[in-house]
Amino acid sequence: MTVYSLEASNGIAAQLARQLGDELVFLEKKTFPDGEVYVRVPSKPRGVAILVSSMYPSQEKRFLELLFSVEALSAYAEGSIIAVVPYLAFARQDKRFLEGEPISVKAVLKSLEALGLSGLVTVDLHQPRVLGEYLSVPSINVLPAEEIAGYFKGKVSNPLVLAPDMGALERAKRVAEHLGAEFDYLVKERDRVTGEVKIYPKSLDVAGKDVIIVDDIISTGGTMALAAKNVLGSGAKSVKAVCTHAVMVQGALDKLYYAGIEEVVATDTVPSPVSKVSVAPSVARGLRELLEQMV
Ligand code: R5P
């Protein structure tokens, strides 16, 4: 196998190549004078090609780099092309919330497959069901729950793991199980036109607890800050915030600390000052599983 690294691999391609004992090849990349993206695969893959790139801002550019690389690799056409996309952008637009909207994640997945993708590994996708809905090639979504829980082991004395909404409960549950802690969720509503988020108080026994709020993405920080205020207002001893994808826009980190959050922790699917947990071990496990399915 050959592991190919695009710029937005954020070190994950190298960790995978080392764990799998495969060669690592860096894709060439430049920008044309008019701003258009150019990529080149400098050498043929030895067997299966593993293409690693996350899709953090600028998401459109990262997506095109990935798409063009899949097309370039498909010209070699001897083995499978597997994309490892630790942060798959556009995943939150997974349905037509308002009339006339696109299902953006469908467009992303279908175009990758149309250009020759044979398999996909993603990390903590907003709605993993989209993989089955919009891809016909094999795919795996890995949840780095064990790695996240591992970070907190021994650092919290009376932990309660919370999801900021019911949709995020499975993630919180998995982290809680690895920590040997209890888990629950808050009640969240988002206005689909204005984007405004409201989190409603729920009768939770958080008094004296070290609460860890777990979400898939922190983008503007609005959801997490509201959740933290809610929990601190109900008597929690401390609040830590953890997410897989630290997109962090519009002063998100300041918003979080100002809301009273003691520590913010994320994985390395998106580079950020709080990306302290590596998803490479989970991704390597997922990739091995996918390869077994594909033989
Ligand atoms: C939404 O359902 C997601 O799971 C996150 O809660 C959300 O995208 C976070 O965005 P923000 O940080 O802008 O509130």
Side-chain angles (χ1 to χ4, degrees):
M1 289 194 296
T2 299
V3 180
Y4 290 98
S5 163
L6 269 161
E7 187 184 50
S9 137
N10 195 30
I12 294 170
Q15 292 183 69
L16 275 184
R18 287 181 59 173
Q19 288 187 29
L20 300 168
D22 289 311
E23 65 165 348
L24 179 69
V25 172
F26 292 86
L27 267 82
E28 292 171 17
K29 192 198 129 181
K30 67 178 181 185
T31 306
F32 285 114
D34 59 359
E36 288 181 358
V37 166
Y38 166 97
V39 289
R40 180 172 172 266
V41 179
S43 56
K44 274 192 172 197
R46 292 189 201 146
V48 176
I50 314 284
L51 177 62
V52 186
S53 181
S54 220
M55 281 168 64
Y56 50 81
S58 142
Q59 294 90 329
E60 292 79 8
K61 217 167 145 195
R62 302 301 186 195
F63 171 54
L64 286 180
E65 287 167 12
L66 192 64
L67 198 62
F68 294 170
S69 306
V70 169
E71 200 287 326
L73 279 166
S74 72
Y76 291 129
E78 275 165 22
S80 305
I81 304 167
I82 298 176
V84 172
V85 186
Y87 172 53
L88 188 103
F90 306 103
R92 285 173 290 176
Q93 187 66 31
D94 59 357
K95 54 173 111 136
R96 300 186 210 282
F97 299 99
L98 298 176
E99 205 180 330
E101 286 183 347
I103 302 174
S104 309
V105 70
K106 173 181 172 184
V108 167
L109 295 174
K110 286 207 171 284
S111 42
L112 286 167
E113 184 170 340
L115 287 174
L117 194 74
S118 352
L120 176 68
V121 179
T122 55
V123 180
D124 201 354
L125 203 51
H126 186 62
Q127 288 290 345
R129 64 166 171 81
V130 300
L131 294 177
E133 282 176 13
Y134 304 125
L135 278 183
S136 54
V137 294
S139 57
I140 277 189
N141 176 58
V142 298
L143 205 55
E146 195 176 342
E147 285 81 1
I148 290 173
Y151 177 87
F152 289 105
K153 278 222 167 100
K155 291 192 177 126
V156 277
S157 51
N158 194 11
L160 170 68
V161 181
L162 283 185
D165 58 53
M166 208 168 78
L169 187 60
E170 178 60 24
R171 183 180 304 103
K173 178 174 176 258
R174 294 268 301 272
V175 171
E177 281 168 358
H178 285 290
L179 259 181
E182 288 176 22
F183 62 92
D184 209 329
Y185 66 93
L186 295 159
V187 180
K188 172 176 140 184
E189 259 178 29
R190 184 184 290 273
D191 184 314
R192 286 291 161 199
V193 177
T194 63
E196 193 199 348
V197 169
K198 284 185 184 147
I199 288 187
Y200 296 99
K202 195 173 162 244
S203 52
L204 284 176
D205 186 15
V206 294
K209 298 268 186 190
D210 292 310
V211 173
I212 303 172
I213 308 176
V214 186
D215 207 354
D216 56 342
I217 302 172
I218 298 178
S219 180
T220 65
T223 301
M224 200 56 102
L226 265 179
K229 281 183 198 159
N230 190 299
V231 164
L232 285 167
S234 305
K237 185 171 142 218
S238 70
V239 178
K240 293 179 193 288
V242 56
C243 71
T244 303
H245 313 295
V247 178
M248 303 292 179
V249 293
Q250 298 176 7
L253 263 182
D254 274 325
K255 209 179 284 169
L256 300 178
Y257 292 128
Y258 194 60
I261 294 171
E262 194 176 69
E263 187 182 11
V264 184
V265 177
T267 77
D268 56 355
T269 62
V270 176
S272 85
V274 294
S275 298
K276 305 169 190 174
V277 176
S278 178
V279 295
S282 298
V283 169
R285 279 197 297 274
L287 187 56
R288 283 196 190 98
E289 215 178 295
L290 188 77
L291 288 164
E292 276 165 25
Q293 278 180 32
M294 289 173 73
V295 288

